[in-house]
Amino acid sequence: NDASTTTNQVNQLMEKLKSYNKQNSPVFWVNVIDSKHDAASKTTNKAIASAVGNDATVIDWYAAAKEGASLKTFEAGVHPTKT
């Protein structure tokens, strides 16, 4: 997916969430990291941040995983594994 497609998908999901979120509960998104496809991770995360704007909080898993773990623990490239 390119950034505009991902942004549109996130926008559609946010609109659907807002239509159901009558009590204005907080909305959280977790961004992504794929150590084997870093450029794609960055593109997806930029699209998420752009699309949710101030309507949600983005939990920065990308930064936490980059800073807090050796990327060698990402056995399949996406999920950290216990070493």
Side-chain angles (χ1 to χ4, degrees):
N1 285 349
D2 64 8
S4 64
T5 300
T6 304
T7 301
N8 288 336
Q9 291 169 332
V10 175
N11 278 328
Q12 289 173 3
L13 285 168
M14 285 299 296
E15 288 305 314
K16 186 66 105 173
L17 281 169
K18 284 189 242 178
S19 74
Y20 289 111
N21 191 7
K22 302 300 183 199
Q23 296 177 335
N24 290 326
S25 298
V27 175
F28 297 91
W29 282 76
V30 179
N31 65 15
V32 300
I33 184 168
D34 181 341
S35 63
K36 294 180 182 179
H37 303 98
D38 196 55
S41 294
K42 289 179 179 178
T43 298
T44 299
N45 293 341
K46 184 176 179 180
I48 291 169
S50 172
V52 302
N54 293 325
D55 293 327
T57 299
V58 177
I59 298 168
D60 195 357
W61 171 237
Y62 179 90
K66 276 275 204 189
E67 295 169 6
S70 165
L71 291 182
K72 292 177 185 176
T73 66
F74 285 78
E75 186 176 290
V78 178
H79 303 285
T81 56
K82 205 171 192 177
T83 56

